């Protein structure tokens, strides 16, 4: 005798893709529903909402809940997250633990209002952990934290759209400005035009950087002339920016030198490629050479031990002879 025949019948229901409510969603569900125009079918075709509900109730397994989140159409997730606070927390949780590849399609389609709510909550928690000194190293920046890792894989167009939402809809230029550094210089230079911002709106966006505004052209030297023009009528900011020309020019020269070093490293067939790197760096001033090595290590083009030995040679502290190997990360000390 079946104790719960009604529940059993409900669990045996299958979605348009032929998957029951108690089974994980296959990896191609999102594409399947998009191609089948399921919204026009006049019937319930996707059970992601029910799967997530049953996960909260402890009926469905973790894999069922996680795959339902990863494959659900964006409007289902938005509906689920607005029904209750715990529903919102579940969507935010699955977003934070999924890999960037798993949530790329979801983020591309997600409504900006839900994305803003999620990211603001994550940022609040991050700030709390940072204040409690539970955040260290590279994760001291919010966008480097695990909860925000998906941002680094998003196309500039999606990030720009979110920035516009923060700026115009939420009037939150400080939060909007946090995402400027994720985009290439070509996008930044055209951002005002592509988003339809007037000069004052774009200036307000960059003011959201606060004190970091004066670090930004050092990170992105190509933006410097644009910022000078953008703040031409703001005496306080313009005066400070105008004193930075030398620093910006130096950073541009360092970036060009780094590209030269990368060209040498990429020629892996040359036995003495690392010796050539050292020879090239010795043509630069010592501080510039050491800074370039730091940039290369930070971007994982060279290893820590390799950087240390090259630095020692440049500073004249290494007396041993280095025989550089053919692989960029390998050398021998005799």
């Amino acid at each position: 005798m079946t104790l719960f025949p009604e529940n059993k019948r409900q669990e045996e229901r299958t979605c348009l893709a032929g998957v029951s409510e108690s089974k994980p969603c296959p990896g191609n569900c999102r594409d399947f529903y998009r191609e089948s125009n399921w919204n026009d079918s006049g019937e319930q075709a996707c059970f992601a909402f029910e799967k997530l509900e049953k996960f909260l109730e402890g009926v469905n397994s973790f894999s069922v809940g996680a795959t339902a989140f990863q494959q659900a159409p964006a409007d289902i997730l938005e509906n689920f997250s607005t029904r209750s606070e715990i529903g919102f927390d579940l969507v935010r949780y699955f977003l934070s633990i999924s890999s960037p590849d798993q949530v790329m399609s979801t983020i591309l389609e997600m409504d900006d209002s839900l994305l803003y709510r999620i990211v603001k909550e994550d940022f609040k928690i991050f700030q709390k952990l940072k204040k409690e000194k539970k955040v260290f190293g590279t994760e001291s920046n919010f966008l480097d934290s695990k909860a925000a890792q998906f941002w680094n894989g998003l196309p500039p167009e999606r990030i720009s759209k979110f920035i516009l939402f923060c700026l115009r809809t939420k009037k939150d230029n400080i939060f909007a400005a946090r995402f400027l550094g994720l985009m290439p210089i070509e996008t930044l230079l055209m951002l005002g035009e592509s988003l339809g911002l007037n000069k004052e709106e774009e200036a307000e966006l960059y003011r959201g950087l606060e004190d970091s505004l004066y670090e930004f052209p050092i990170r992105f030297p190509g933006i410097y002339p644009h910022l000078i023009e953008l703040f031409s009528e703001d005496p306080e900011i313009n005066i400070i920016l105008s004193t930075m020309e030398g620093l910006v020019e130096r950073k541009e020269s360092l970036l060009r030198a780094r590209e030269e070093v990368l060209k040498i490293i990429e020629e892996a067939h040359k036995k003495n490629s690392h010796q050539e790197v050292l020879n090239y760096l010795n043509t630069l001033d010592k501080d510039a050479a050491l800074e370039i090595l730091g940039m290369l290590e930070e971007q994982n083009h060279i290893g820590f031990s390799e950087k240390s030995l090259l630095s020692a040679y440049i500073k004249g502290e290494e007396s041993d002879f280095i025989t550089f190997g053919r692989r960029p990360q390998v050398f021998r000390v005799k």
Side-chain angles (χ1 to χ4, degrees), residues 258-301:
R258 182 196 63 183
E259 294 306 308
E260 288 298 318
V261 173
L262 289 177
K263 288 180 183 177
I264 296 172
I265 292 177
E266 287 169 1
E267 295 178 6
H269 63 282
K270 298 176 67 173
K271 293 182 179 180
N272 295 320
S273 61
H274 283 70
Q275 184 62 57
E276 291 192 20
V277 168
L278 183 60
N279 292 341
Y280 175 76
L281 291 176
N282 279 330
T283 68
L284 309 175
D285 69 80
K286 187 181 298 185
D287 289 340
L290 294 173
E291 192 167 344
I292 290 168
L293 287 177
M295 294 164 65
L296 293 171
E297 183 200 12
E298 182 180 345
Q299 297 164 2
N300 298 316
H301 293 301

Side-chain angles (χ1 to χ4, degrees), residues 11 19-26 51 60-61 63-64 67:
E11 290 176 359
V19 181
S20 76
E21 292 177 89
S22 61
K23 299 295 182 183
C25 301
K51 287 184 176 184
N60 276 344
S61 67
S63 63
V64 174
T67 57

Side-chain angles (χ1 to χ4, degrees), residues 321-334:
F321 177 77
I322 299 180
T323 301
F324 294 101
R326 296 178 63 184
R327 295 175 57 191
Q329 301 284 349
V330 178
F331 54 84
R332 296 182 296 276
V333 179
K334 291 186 178 180

Side-chain angles (χ1 to χ4, degrees), residues 53-172:
E53 276 192 325
K54 290 188 175 182
F55 173 74
L56 287 177
E57 294 167 1
V59 176
N60 276 344
S61 67
F62 176 84
S63 63
V64 174
T67 57
F69 162 79
Q70 292 161 7
Q71 297 300 320
D75 58 343
I76 288 181
L77 292 180
E78 290 155 16
N79 186 23
F80 184 81
S81 65
T82 57
R83 292 294 184 91
S84 66
E85 195 63 30
I86 192 172
F88 167 74
D89 288 338
L90 183 64
V91 170
R92 186 175 62 82
Y93 167 72
F94 278 135
L95 182 61
S96 69
I97 66 168
S98 298
S99 71
D101 289 342
Q102 289 173 323
V103 298
M104 176 68 73
S105 295
T106 299
I107 298 299
L108 290 177
E109 297 178 5
M110 184 177 287
D111 185 78
D112 285 315
S113 59
L114 174 56
L115 184 58
Y116 179 84
R117 185 183 173 198
I118 289 173
V119 182
K120 286 288 280 190
E121 181 65 22
D122 286 339
F123 181 68
K124 183 173 72 173
I125 293 172
F126 174 83
Q127 290 288 76
K128 180 176 182 292
L129 293 174
K130 191 173 181 179
K131 186 176 181 180
E132 295 172 354
K133 302 188 184 303
K134 294 180 180 179
V135 176
F136 306 97
T138 57
E139 288 201 357
S140 60
N141 184 315
F142 170 64
L143 290 174
D144 292 328
S145 66
K146 182 173 175 55
Q149 62 182 336
F150 63 85
W151 283 101
N152 296 290
L154 292 179
E157 297 77 14
R158 182 65 185 95
I159 301 172
S160 299
K161 180 174 176 287
F162 181 73
I163 287 175
L164 182 63
F165 176 83
C166 294
L167 185 65
R168 280 192 174 164
T169 304
K170 291 297 182 179
K171 310 298 182 186
D172 192 348

Side-chain angles (χ1 to χ4, degrees), residues 187-244:
T187 302
L188 290 174
L189 290 173
M190 299 299 295
L191 191 62
E193 182 179 339
S194 64
L195 296 182
L197 302 177
N198 58 42
K199 184 175 180 180
E200 182 52 39
E201 284 180 316
E202 189 176 2
E204 186 64 15
L205 171 60
Y206 279 97
R207 286 190 188 97
L209 290 168
E210 299 180 304
D211 290 343
S212 297
L213 172 62
Y214 306 110
E215 300 172 10
F216 204 73
I218 305 300
R219 291 176 57 198
F220 301 93
I223 199 69
Y224 181 66
H226 183 67
L227 292 180
I228 288 288
E229 193 282 327
L230 194 62
F231 290 101
S232 60
E233 299 176 9
D234 187 320
E236 181 180 352
I237 294 178
N238 186 265
I239 288 173
I240 297 176
L241 286 175
S242 65
T243 66
M244 298 175 59

